[in-house]
Amino acid sequence: MTWKRAVFALFAVAAGTNVPTPLLLVYQERLDLSAEVLTALFGCYAAGLVPALMLAGPLSDRLGRRRVAIPGIVLSGLASLAFAAAGGSLLLLFAARFAQGVVSGIVFSVGSAWVGELSKASGEGAGGRRAAVAMTAGFSLGPLTSGLLGQYAPAPTVLPYLVHTVLVAVGLAFAVRLPETVDLSPGRRGGTEATPAAPLVRPGDGLLVLSVLAPVAVCVYAFPSTIISAVPLLVELPYGGVAVTGVLAGVTLGAGTVVAGLQRRLGSWTAVVGTGAGTVGFGCAAAFASTGALPWLVLAAPLLGAGGGLCLAAGLTLTARLAAPSRLGALTSLFLSFAYLGFAAPFAMAVAAGATTATLPLAAAAALAAMLALRLVPVARAGQL
């Protein structure tokens, strides 16, 4: 099945996005970096990703998925090689992380739309679920692998990136064999060609984008990035070390992969359940920050990961439903742009914790997630999610 090749290529790029996460502790020790600097390094990925998302999706609606996605896959491997060369320089680390964001933005927006179009024969929602599983699986296995290699293998700031480069090469080999799914024939100008002036969504759906799709999107990465970036830097972990951080990230993001398939059963309630899980997860993280009791952390990680995964699956499905004809790539880009705003959450929490305690921003995040879950209930009852 052609969609499986697209899913693997999307997975391969996603696997690289969190390879640096467990290695933050290595960089912290080598370069004597503060928690604020490390969370800024983690989050500058979004600064490169959001503009790339906004450009790549609409561009692929006009030029085709292949012409935009395949160069992005190549550049994903090159970004990992840049990371491998940047282990001792903070400036190069920021540049590599920014570049990683740019290439990921290209592939995630275009690749998600590509998977969706190749999955049309499988019914509504299949493309969103498959893209969500591909990305969350990559987000999970990338840091799990790099954490173990960073703890126990030689060259901890080099070898994990080389492994990812090989994975990207395999994904590229699959991607170049995929068919184009965008109609590029000259006659397309007669009525379906996407133009910058064409509406992104069908008439009357703009309010759903702003009040439902956008906040659900922010939860996609605000939930897991908090537990895998902010908490390890703000609260001393038991059995400290790079491997523990990698396992924590793997469990968190792995939970997002496992639950993505539940969307078929949950239907319109997927986002409600996802934001509810995030609410409880933030509460558990706040309890861990306050008490240091390990069971709270063990509960928080899978809850926040599951919440993010469910929000991603629900959001991609809603995006496909709301997109105007020939604007799926553009609306997917907008959804993922909102999603990556969630990467600012760890930095905001680090700043707030510096002025108060680590517990307060986590408790505030739980309250905000609860408010969103309540907001989504009537929308789910109406079958609009």
Side-chain angles (χ1 to χ4, degrees):
M1 296 181 183
T2 54
W3 65 263
K4 291 184 178 180
R5 294 199 293 270
V7 162
F8 186 88
L10 191 57
F11 160 77
V13 174
T17 61
N18 284 309
V19 167
T21 301
L23 304 178
L24 291 176
L25 297 177
V26 178
Y27 300 136
Q28 183 180 41
E29 182 178 351
R30 285 187 178 183
L31 302 176
D32 192 25
L33 303 177
S34 67
E36 289 83 0
V37 171
L38 285 169
T39 52
L41 174 61
F42 182 82
C44 81
Y45 168 86
L49 184 141
V50 171
L53 282 172
M54 298 305 293
L55 292 173
L59 190 63
S60 74
D61 285 336
R62 304 183 66 183
L63 301 181
R65 310 301 183 211
R66 288 176 54 87
R67 293 181 184 177
V68 181
I70 289 178
I73 296 170
V74 173
L75 291 174
S76 178
L78 294 177
S80 276
L81 291 177
F83 255 114
S89 167
L90 181 60
L91 180 62
L92 289 178
L93 285 172
F94 267 98
R97 184 64 170 163
F98 179 85
Q100 191 178 56
V102 171
V103 299
S104 297
I106 294 171
V107 177
F108 292 165
S109 58
V110 181
S112 295
W114 210 357
V115 169
E117 289 159 346
L118 291 169
S119 301
K120 282 184 177 179
S122 301
E124 184 183 25
R129 286 192 298 272
R130 289 165 180 171
V133 168
M135 288 192 284
T136 53
F139 297 154
S140 170
L141 293 178
L144 179 60
T145 302
S146 68
L148 294 174
L149 291 175
Q151 183 75 51
Y152 301 114
T157 60
V158 176
L159 185 58
Y161 299 109
L162 298 183
V163 171
H164 175 249
T165 303
V166 173
L167 184 66
V168 168
V170 177
L172 177 63
F174 284 134
V176 296
R177 299 166 56 195
L178 290 171
E180 180 55 71
T181 53
V182 174
D183 181 8
L184 300 175
S185 61
R188 185 170 176 248
R189 291 186 178 272
T192 62
E193 183 182 32
T195 67
L200 282 177
V201 298
R202 302 176 192 277
D205 287 336
L207 183 60
L208 276 177
V209 172
L210 294 176
S211 65
V212 174
L213 189 65
V216 167
V218 173
C219 293
V220 169
Y221 296 126
F223 288 172
S225 67
T226 294
I227 199 70
I228 66 178
S229 177
V231 171
L233 295 173
L234 299 176
V235 185
E236 185 177 354
L237 295 180
Y239 319 110
V242 178
V244 172
T245 308
V247 171
L248 180 65
V251 169
T252 302
L253 296 166
T257 305
V258 171
V259 301
L262 292 178
Q263 185 201 20
R264 188 192 302 267
R265 296 183 179 180
L266 295 172
S268 292
W269 293 93
T270 303
V272 177
V273 175
T275 51
T279 299
V280 180
F282 276 135
C284 292
F288 171 68
S290 177
T291 66
L294 183 59
W296 290 118
L297 181 64
V298 171
L299 287 172
L303 282 169
L304 287 168
L310 289 172
C311 288
L312 178 59
L316 287 173
T317 298
L318 183 60
T319 297
R321 187 181 304 154
L322 296 178
S326 77
R327 300 309 306 273
L328 177 59
L331 190 59
T332 301
S333 293
L334 183 63
F335 167 73
L336 291 174
S337 297
F338 283 125
Y340 276 96
L341 292 177
F343 268 105
F347 179 74
M349 288 186 180
V351 173
T356 57
T357 65
T359 304
L360 184 60
L362 290 168
L368 290 173
M371 292 170 61
L372 176 58
L374 292 174
R375 161 71 182 92
L376 295 177
V377 169
V379 183
R381 282 178 179 165
Q384 294 179 296
L385 267 173

PDB file of all heavy atoms in Angstrom, residues 294-333:
ATOM      1  N   LEU A 294       7.574   9.856  43.206  1.00  0.00           N
ATOM      2  CA  LEU A 294       7.701   9.275  41.872  1.00  0.00           C
ATOM      3  C   LEU A 294       6.367   8.823  41.261  1.00  0.00           C
ATOM      4  O   LEU A 294       6.171   8.980  40.045  1.00  0.00           O
ATOM      5  CB  LEU A 294       8.684   8.100  41.916  1.00  0.00           C
ATOM      6  CG  LEU A 294       8.983   7.407  40.579  1.00  0.00           C
ATOM      7  CD1 LEU A 294       9.573   8.402  39.586  1.00  0.00           C
ATOM      8  CD2 LEU A 294       9.933   6.234  40.804  1.00  0.00           C
ATOM      9  N   PRO A 295       5.418   8.257  42.011  1.00  0.00           N
ATOM     10  CA  PRO A 295       4.161   7.819  41.384  1.00  0.00           C
ATOM     11  C   PRO A 295       3.436   8.923  40.623  1.00  0.00           C
ATOM     12  O   PRO A 295       2.782   8.656  39.615  1.00  0.00           O
ATOM     13  CB  PRO A 295       3.335   7.319  42.577  1.00  0.00           C
ATOM     14  CG  PRO A 295       4.361   6.859  43.567  1.00  0.00           C
ATOM     15  CD  PRO A 295       5.482   7.833  43.434  1.00  0.00           C
ATOM     16  N   TRP A 296       3.544  10.160  41.094  1.00  0.00           N
ATOM     17  CA  TRP A 296       2.896  11.252  40.371  1.00  0.00           C
ATOM     18  C   TRP A 296       3.514  11.439  38.991  1.00  0.00           C
ATOM     19  O   TRP A 296       2.810  11.699  38.003  1.00  0.00           O
ATOM     20  CB  TRP A 296       2.996  12.547  41.162  1.00  0.00           C
ATOM     21  CG  TRP A 296       2.167  12.592  42.401  1.00  0.00           C
ATOM     22  CD1 TRP A 296       2.597  12.723  43.687  1.00  0.00           C
ATOM     23  CD2 TRP A 296       0.728  12.504  42.488  1.00  0.00           C
ATOM     24  NE1 TRP A 296       1.540  12.717  44.565  1.00  0.00           N
ATOM     25  CE2 TRP A 296       0.374  12.589  43.859  1.00  0.00           C
ATOM     26  CE3 TRP A 296      -0.284  12.361  41.539  1.00  0.00           C
ATOM     27  CZ2 TRP A 296      -0.934  12.537  44.292  1.00  0.00           C
ATOM     28  CZ3 TRP A 296      -1.602  12.304  41.968  1.00  0.00           C
ATOM     29  CH2 TRP A 296      -1.925  12.390  43.330  1.00  0.00           C
ATOM     30  N   LEU A 297       4.841  11.312  38.889  1.00  0.00           N
ATOM     31  CA  LEU A 297       5.518  11.437  37.594  1.00  0.00           C
ATOM     32  C   LEU A 297       5.144  10.276  36.679  1.00  0.00           C
ATOM     33  O   LEU A 297       4.929  10.464  35.473  1.00  0.00           O
ATOM     34  CB  LEU A 297       7.031  11.479  37.799  1.00  0.00           C
ATOM     35  CG  LEU A 297       7.879  11.629  36.530  1.00  0.00           C
ATOM     36  CD1 LEU A 297       7.611  12.966  35.865  1.00  0.00           C
ATOM     37  CD2 LEU A 297       9.365  11.504  36.867  1.00  0.00           C
ATOM     38  N   VAL A 298       5.057   9.082  37.260  1.00  0.00           N
ATOM     39  CA  VAL A 298       4.697   7.899  36.477  1.00  0.00           C
ATOM     40  C   VAL A 298       3.297   8.054  35.880  1.00  0.00           C
ATOM     41  O   VAL A 298       3.037   7.595  34.754  1.00  0.00           O
ATOM     42  CB  VAL A 298       4.771   6.639  37.370  1.00  0.00           C
ATOM     43  CG1 VAL A 298       4.203   5.424  36.648  1.00  0.00           C
ATOM     44  CG2 VAL A 298       6.211   6.382  37.798  1.00  0.00           C
ATOM     45  N   LEU A 299       2.406   8.715  36.589  1.00  0.00           N
ATOM     46  CA  LEU A 299       1.058   8.964  36.073  1.00  0.00           C
ATOM     47  C   LEU A 299       1.041  10.124  35.072  1.00  0.00           C
ATOM     48  O   LEU A 299       0.338  10.064  34.052  1.00  0.00           O
ATOM     49  CB  LEU A 299       0.111   9.291  37.231  1.00  0.00           C
ATOM     50  CG  LEU A 299      -0.291   8.135  38.144  1.00  0.00           C
ATOM     51  CD1 LEU A 299      -1.060   8.666  39.349  1.00  0.00           C
ATOM     52  CD2 LEU A 299      -1.145   7.125  37.383  1.00  0.00           C
ATOM     53  N   ALA A 300       1.804  11.169  35.347  1.00  0.00           N
ATOM     54  CA  ALA A 300       1.755  12.370  34.514  1.00  0.00           C
ATOM     55  C   ALA A 300       2.242  12.108  33.093  1.00  0.00           C
ATOM     56  O   ALA A 300       1.641  12.600  32.125  1.00  0.00           O
ATOM     57  CB  ALA A 300       2.591  13.477  35.163  1.00  0.00           C
ATOM     58  N   ALA A 301       3.317  11.341  32.947  1.00  0.00           N
ATOM     59  CA  ALA A 301       3.927  11.163  31.625  1.00  0.00           C
ATOM     60  C   ALA A 301       2.960  10.543  30.614  1.00  0.00           C
ATOM     61  O   ALA A 301       2.729  11.126  29.541  1.00  0.00           O
ATOM     62  CB  ALA A 301       5.206  10.337  31.748  1.00  0.00           C
ATOM     63  N   PRO A 302       2.380   9.371  30.866  1.00  0.00           N
ATOM     64  CA  PRO A 302       1.469   8.804  29.864  1.00  0.00           C
ATOM     65  C   PRO A 302       0.187   9.599  29.684  1.00  0.00           C
ATOM     66  O   PRO A 302      -0.378   9.627  28.583  1.00  0.00           O
ATOM     67  CB  PRO A 302       1.182   7.398  30.403  1.00  0.00           C
ATOM     68  CG  PRO A 302       1.474   7.451  31.856  1.00  0.00           C
ATOM     69  CD  PRO A 302       2.561   8.456  32.013  1.00  0.00           C
ATOM     70  N   LEU A 303      -0.301  10.264  30.740  1.00  0.00           N
ATOM     71  CA  LEU A 303      -1.519  11.063  30.601  1.00  0.00           C
ATOM     72  C   LEU A 303      -1.295  12.258  29.672  1.00  0.00           C
ATOM     73  O   LEU A 303      -2.116  12.537  28.781  1.00  0.00           O
ATOM     74  CB  LEU A 303      -1.994  11.543  31.973  1.00  0.00           C
ATOM     75  CG  LEU A 303      -2.720  10.500  32.832  1.00  0.00           C
ATOM     76  CD1 LEU A 303      -2.892  11.022  34.256  1.00  0.00           C
ATOM     77  CD2 LEU A 303      -4.086  10.164  32.226  1.00  0.00           C
ATOM     78  N   LEU A 304      -0.198  12.964  29.851  1.00  0.00           N
ATOM     79  CA  LEU A 304       0.086  14.105  28.989  1.00  0.00           C
ATOM     80  C   LEU A 304       0.420  13.653  27.569  1.00  0.00           C
ATOM     81  O   LEU A 304       0.028  14.303  26.592  1.00  0.00           O
ATOM     82  CB  LEU A 304       1.222  14.942  29.577  1.00  0.00           C
ATOM     83  CG  LEU A 304       0.834  15.765  30.811  1.00  0.00           C
ATOM     84  CD1 LEU A 304       2.065  16.322  31.512  1.00  0.00           C
ATOM     85  CD2 LEU A 304      -0.110  16.904  30.419  1.00  0.00           C
ATOM     86  N   GLY A 305       1.122  12.533  27.448  1.00  0.00           N
ATOM     87  CA  GLY A 305       1.404  12.005  26.116  1.00  0.00           C
ATOM     88  C   GLY A 305       0.140  11.566  25.400  1.00  0.00           C
ATOM     89  O   GLY A 305      -0.063  11.858  24.212  1.00  0.00           O
ATOM     90  N   ALA A 306      -0.743  10.864  26.118  1.00  0.00           N
ATOM     91  CA  ALA A 306      -2.001  10.413  25.528  1.00  0.00           C
ATOM     92  C   ALA A 306      -2.875  11.604  25.140  1.00  0.00           C
ATOM     93  O   ALA A 306      -3.501  11.610  24.069  1.00  0.00           O
ATOM     94  CB  ALA A 306      -2.750   9.507  26.505  1.00  0.00           C
ATOM     95  N   GLY A 307      -2.903  12.614  25.989  1.00  0.00           N
ATOM     96  CA  GLY A 307      -3.687  13.803  25.677  1.00  0.00           C
ATOM     97  C   GLY A 307      -3.222  14.475  24.406  1.00  0.00           C
ATOM     98  O   GLY A 307      -4.029  14.866  23.551  1.00  0.00           O
ATOM     99  N   GLY A 308      -1.909  14.604  24.254  1.00  0.00           N
ATOM    100  CA  GLY A 308      -1.378  15.212  23.041  1.00  0.00           C
ATOM    101  C   GLY A 308      -1.672  14.382  21.803  1.00  0.00           C
ATOM    102  O   GLY A 308      -2.024  14.920  20.748  1.00  0.00           O
ATOM    103  N   GLY A 309      -1.536  13.052  21.912  1.00  0.00           N
ATOM    104  CA  GLY A 309      -1.801  12.183  20.768  1.00  0.00           C
ATOM    105  C   GLY A 309      -3.254  12.231  20.325  1.00  0.00           C
ATOM    106  O   GLY A 309      -3.553  12.253  19.120  1.00  0.00           O
ATOM    107  N   LEU A 310      -4.180  12.246  21.277  1.00  0.00           N
ATOM    108  CA  LEU A 310      -5.602  12.318  20.942  1.00  0.00           C
ATOM    109  C   LEU A 310      -5.944  13.667  20.311  1.00  0.00           C
ATOM    110  O   LEU A 310      -6.736  13.735  19.361  1.00  0.00           O
ATOM    111  CB  LEU A 310      -6.451  12.088  22.185  1.00  0.00           C
ATOM    112  CG  LEU A 310      -6.455  10.651  22.726  1.00  0.00           C
ATOM    113  CD1 LEU A 310      -7.180  10.587  24.076  1.00  0.00           C
ATOM    114  CD2 LEU A 310      -7.115   9.693  21.738  1.00  0.00           C
ATOM    115  N   CYS A 311      -5.354  14.738  20.818  1.00  0.00           N
ATOM    116  CA  CYS A 311      -5.601  16.055  20.222  1.00  0.00           C
ATOM    117  C   CYS A 311      -5.049  16.137  18.805  1.00  0.00           C
ATOM    118  O   CYS A 311      -5.656  16.765  17.923  1.00  0.00           O
ATOM    119  CB  CYS A 311      -4.995  17.151  21.100  1.00  0.00           C
ATOM    120  SG  CYS A 311      -5.896  17.442  22.646  1.00  0.00           S
ATOM    121  N   LEU A 312      -3.919  15.484  18.554  1.00  0.00           N
ATOM    122  CA  LEU A 312      -3.354  15.480  17.209  1.00  0.00           C
ATOM    123  C   LEU A 312      -4.257  14.725  16.237  1.00  0.00           C
ATOM    124  O   LEU A 312      -4.560  15.208  15.141  1.00  0.00           O
ATOM    125  CB  LEU A 312      -1.961  14.848  17.231  1.00  0.00           C
ATOM    126  CG  LEU A 312      -1.247  14.734  15.878  1.00  0.00           C
ATOM    127  CD1 LEU A 312      -1.072  16.110  15.242  1.00  0.00           C
ATOM    128  CD2 LEU A 312       0.104  14.045  16.040  1.00  0.00           C
ATOM    129  N   ALA A 313      -4.719  13.537  16.630  1.00  0.00           N
ATOM    130  CA  ALA A 313      -5.595  12.755  15.753  1.00  0.00           C
ATOM    131  C   ALA A 313      -6.906  13.492  15.498  1.00  0.00           C
ATOM    132  O   ALA A 313      -7.387  13.565  14.353  1.00  0.00           O
ATOM    133  CB  ALA A 313      -5.869  11.388  16.385  1.00  0.00           C
ATOM    134  N   ALA A 314      -7.491  14.062  16.553  1.00  0.00           N
ATOM    135  CA  ALA A 314      -8.752  14.794  16.392  1.00  0.00           C
ATOM    136  C   ALA A 314      -8.557  16.030  15.527  1.00  0.00           C
ATOM    137  O   ALA A 314      -9.394  16.343  14.666  1.00  0.00           O
ATOM    138  CB  ALA A 314      -9.302  15.194  17.764  1.00  0.00           C
ATOM    139  N   GLY A 315      -7.453  16.731  15.739  1.00  0.00           N
ATOM    140  CA  GLY A 315      -7.207  17.957  14.993  1.00  0.00           C
ATOM    141  C   GLY A 315      -6.972  17.712  13.516  1.00  0.00           C
ATOM    142  O   GLY A 315      -7.479  18.452  12.658  1.00  0.00           O
ATOM    143  N   LEU A 316      -6.190  16.684  13.172  1.00  0.00           N
ATOM    144  CA  LEU A 316      -5.940  16.386  11.758  1.00  0.00           C
ATOM    145  C   LEU A 316      -7.219  15.951  11.057  1.00  0.00           C
ATOM    146  O   LEU A 316      -7.453  16.290   9.899  1.00  0.00           O
ATOM    147  CB  LEU A 316      -4.864  15.309  11.637  1.00  0.00           C
ATOM    148  CG  LEU A 316      -3.434  15.755  11.951  1.00  0.00           C
ATOM    149  CD1 LEU A 316      -2.490  14.556  11.970  1.00  0.00           C
ATOM    150  CD2 LEU A 316      -2.951  16.789  10.937  1.00  0.00           C
ATOM    151  N   THR A 317      -8.057  15.198  11.746  1.00  0.00           N
ATOM    152  CA  THR A 317      -9.326  14.775  11.152  1.00  0.00           C
ATOM    153  C   THR A 317     -10.249  15.977  10.936  1.00  0.00           C
ATOM    154  O   THR A 317     -10.887  16.114   9.883  1.00  0.00           O
ATOM    155  CB  THR A 317     -10.019  13.735  12.045  1.00  0.00           C
ATOM    156  OG1 THR A 317      -9.177  12.584  12.143  1.00  0.00           O
ATOM    157  CG2 THR A 317     -11.356  13.315  11.474  1.00  0.00           C
ATOM    158  N   LEU A 318     -10.342  16.859  11.935  1.00  0.00           N
ATOM    159  CA  LEU A 318     -11.162  18.056  11.787  1.00  0.00           C
ATOM    160  C   LEU A 318     -10.618  18.965  10.689  1.00  0.00           C
ATOM    161  O   LEU A 318     -11.389  19.578   9.942  1.00  0.00           O
ATOM    162  CB  LEU A 318     -11.224  18.805  13.118  1.00  0.00           C
ATOM    163  CG  LEU A 318     -12.110  20.054  13.157  1.00  0.00           C
ATOM    164  CD1 LEU A 318     -13.557  19.702  12.824  1.00  0.00           C
ATOM    165  CD2 LEU A 318     -12.022  20.732  14.524  1.00  0.00           C
ATOM    166  N   THR A 319      -9.297  19.033  10.561  1.00  0.00           N
ATOM    167  CA  THR A 319      -8.682  19.826   9.502  1.00  0.00           C
ATOM    168  C   THR A 319      -9.121  19.334   8.129  1.00  0.00           C
ATOM    169  O   THR A 319      -9.498  20.130   7.255  1.00  0.00           O
ATOM    170  CB  THR A 319      -7.149  19.762   9.618  1.00  0.00           C
ATOM    171  OG1 THR A 319      -6.741  20.347  10.859  1.00  0.00           O
ATOM    172  CG2 THR A 319      -6.479  20.508   8.476  1.00  0.00           C
ATOM    173  N   ALA A 320      -9.069  18.016   7.923  1.00  0.00           N
ATOM    174  CA  ALA A 320      -9.489  17.453   6.640  1.00  0.00           C
ATOM    175  C   ALA A 320     -10.965  17.709   6.364  1.00  0.00           C
ATOM    176  O   ALA A 320     -11.370  17.908   5.209  1.00  0.00           O
ATOM    177  CB  ALA A 320      -9.203  15.955   6.622  1.00  0.00           C
ATOM    178  N   ARG A 321     -11.766  17.750   7.419  1.00  0.00           N
ATOM    179  CA  ARG A 321     -13.208  17.960   7.252  1.00  0.00           C
ATOM    180  C   ARG A 321     -13.514  19.417   6.928  1.00  0.00           C
ATOM    181  O   ARG A 321     -14.431  19.717   6.156  1.00  0.00           O
ATOM    182  CB  ARG A 321     -13.926  17.547   8.533  1.00  0.00           C
ATOM    183  CG  ARG A 321     -15.456  17.551   8.433  1.00  0.00           C
ATOM    184  CD  ARG A 321     -16.070  17.160   9.766  1.00  0.00           C
ATOM    185  NE  ARG A 321     -15.562  15.875  10.222  1.00  0.00           N
ATOM    186  CZ  ARG A 321     -15.491  15.497  11.487  1.00  0.00           C
ATOM    187  NH1 ARG A 321     -15.882  16.337  12.440  1.00  0.00           N
ATOM    188  NH2 ARG A 321     -15.017  14.310  11.813  1.00  0.00           N
ATOM    189  N   LEU A 322     -12.767  20.349   7.505  1.00  0.00           N
ATOM    190  CA  LEU A 322     -13.054  21.764   7.335  1.00  0.00           C
ATOM    191  C   LEU A 322     -12.415  22.376   6.103  1.00  0.00           C
ATOM    192  O   LEU A 322     -12.861  23.426   5.625  1.00  0.00           O
ATOM    193  CB  LEU A 322     -12.570  22.547   8.565  1.00  0.00           C
ATOM    194  CG  LEU A 322     -13.246  22.247   9.905  1.00  0.00           C
ATOM    195  CD1 LEU A 322     -12.600  23.082  11.006  1.00  0.00           C
ATOM    196  CD2 LEU A 322     -14.735  22.526   9.838  1.00  0.00           C
ATOM    197  N   ALA A 323     -11.355  21.762   5.567  1.00  0.00           N
ATOM    198  CA  ALA A 323     -10.590  22.373   4.482  1.00  0.00           C
ATOM    199  C   ALA A 323     -11.441  22.569   3.234  1.00  0.00           C
ATOM    200  O   ALA A 323     -12.190  21.683   2.820  1.00  0.00           O
ATOM    201  CB  ALA A 323      -9.369  21.519   4.154  1.00  0.00           C
ATOM    202  N   ALA A 324     -11.330  23.736   2.635  1.00  0.00           N
ATOM    203  CA  ALA A 324     -11.976  23.990   1.356  1.00  0.00           C
ATOM    204  C   ALA A 324     -11.288  23.167   0.269  1.00  0.00           C
ATOM    205  O   ALA A 324     -10.140  22.734   0.441  1.00  0.00           O
ATOM    206  CB  ALA A 324     -11.893  25.477   1.027  1.00  0.00           C
ATOM    207  N   PRO A 325     -11.959  22.925  -0.852  1.00  0.00           N
ATOM    208  CA  PRO A 325     -11.331  22.159  -1.940  1.00  0.00           C
ATOM    209  C   PRO A 325      -9.993  22.760  -2.352  1.00  0.00           C
ATOM    210  O   PRO A 325      -9.859  23.970  -2.500  1.00  0.00           O
ATOM    211  CB  PRO A 325     -12.364  22.278  -3.072  1.00  0.00           C
ATOM    212  CG  PRO A 325     -13.660  22.472  -2.367  1.00  0.00           C
ATOM    213  CD  PRO A 325     -13.347  23.295  -1.153  1.00  0.00           C
ATOM    214  N   SER A 326      -9.014  21.901  -2.496  1.00  0.00           N
ATOM    215  CA  SER A 326      -7.646  22.244  -2.910  1.00  0.00           C
ATOM    216  C   SER A 326      -6.877  23.045  -1.870  1.00  0.00           C
ATOM    217  O   SER A 326      -5.806  23.558  -2.153  1.00  0.00           O
ATOM    218  CB  SER A 326      -7.633  23.010  -4.247  1.00  0.00           C
ATOM    219  OG  SER A 326      -8.015  24.366  -4.081  1.00  0.00           O
ATOM    220  N   ARG A 327      -7.371  23.144  -0.625  1.00  0.00           N
ATOM    221  CA  ARG A 327      -6.644  23.894   0.405  1.00  0.00           C
ATOM    222  C   ARG A 327      -6.262  23.042   1.603  1.00  0.00           C
ATOM    223  O   ARG A 327      -5.990  23.564   2.679  1.00  0.00           O
ATOM    224  CB  ARG A 327      -7.483  25.085   0.893  1.00  0.00           C
ATOM    225  CG  ARG A 327      -7.862  26.116  -0.151  1.00  0.00           C
ATOM    226  CD  ARG A 327      -6.689  26.646  -0.980  1.00  0.00           C
ATOM    227  NE  ARG A 327      -5.594  27.176  -0.199  1.00  0.00           N
ATOM    228  CZ  ARG A 327      -5.520  28.436   0.236  1.00  0.00           C
ATOM    229  NH1 ARG A 327      -6.501  29.283  -0.011  1.00  0.00           N
ATOM    230  NH2 ARG A 327      -4.481  28.859   0.909  1.00  0.00           N
ATOM    231  N   LEU A 328      -6.242  21.716   1.444  1.00  0.00           N
ATOM    232  CA  LEU A 328      -5.904  20.844   2.567  1.00  0.00           C
ATOM    233  C   LEU A 328      -4.486  21.104   3.066  1.00  0.00           C
ATOM    234  O   LEU A 328      -4.241  21.152   4.273  1.00  0.00           O
ATOM    235  CB  LEU A 328      -6.062  19.371   2.170  1.00  0.00           C
ATOM    236  CG  LEU A 328      -5.670  18.348   3.237  1.00  0.00           C
ATOM    237  CD1 LEU A 328      -6.487  18.539   4.502  1.00  0.00           C
ATOM    238  CD2 LEU A 328      -5.830  16.928   2.709  1.00  0.00           C
ATOM    239  N   GLY A 329      -3.538  21.259   2.163  1.00  0.00           N
ATOM    240  CA  GLY A 329      -2.159  21.516   2.581  1.00  0.00           C
ATOM    241  C   GLY A 329      -2.037  22.800   3.382  1.00  0.00           C
ATOM    242  O   GLY A 329      -1.349  22.862   4.398  1.00  0.00           O
ATOM    243  N   ALA A 330      -2.742  23.844   2.942  1.00  0.00           N
ATOM    244  CA  ALA A 330      -2.662  25.131   3.626  1.00  0.00           C
ATOM    245  C   ALA A 330      -3.284  25.065   5.018  1.00  0.00           C
ATOM    246  O   ALA A 330      -2.730  25.596   5.986  1.00  0.00           O
ATOM    247  CB  ALA A 330      -3.356  26.202   2.784  1.00  0.00           C
ATOM    248  N   LEU A 331      -4.453  24.422   5.141  1.00  0.00           N
ATOM    249  CA  LEU A 331      -5.096  24.344   6.455  1.00  0.00           C
ATOM    250  C   LEU A 331      -4.325  23.419   7.389  1.00  0.00           C
ATOM    251  O   LEU A 331      -4.256  23.664   8.602  1.00  0.00           O
ATOM    252  CB  LEU A 331      -6.546  23.880   6.317  1.00  0.00           C
ATOM    253  CG  LEU A 331      -7.378  24.006   7.601  1.00  0.00           C
ATOM    254  CD1 LEU A 331      -7.429  25.448   8.087  1.00  0.00           C
ATOM    255  CD2 LEU A 331      -8.790  23.466   7.405  1.00  0.00           C
ATOM    256  N   THR A 332      -3.731  22.346   6.846  1.00  0.00           N
ATOM    257  CA  THR A 332      -2.877  21.487   7.665  1.00  0.00           C
ATOM    258  C   THR A 332      -1.697  22.280   8.218  1.00  0.00           C
ATOM    259  O   THR A 332      -1.318  22.134   9.392  1.00  0.00           O
ATOM    260  CB  THR A 332      -2.371  20.294   6.855  1.00  0.00           C
ATOM    261  OG1 THR A 332      -3.475  19.536   6.361  1.00  0.00           O
ATOM    262  CG2 THR A 332      -1.490  19.378   7.706  1.00  0.00           C
ATOM    263  N   SER A 333      -1.127  23.145   7.388  1.00  0.00           N
ATOM    264  CA  SER A 333      -0.031  23.999   7.844  1.00  0.00           C
ATOM    265  C   SER A 333      -0.479  24.907   8.976  1.00  0.00           C
ATOM    266  O   SER A 333       0.245  25.094   9.957  1.00  0.00           O
ATOM    267  CB  SER A 333       0.493  24.848   6.679  1.00  0.00           C
ATOM    268  OG  SER A 333       1.121  24.059   5.705  1.00  0.00           O
TER     269      SER A 333
END
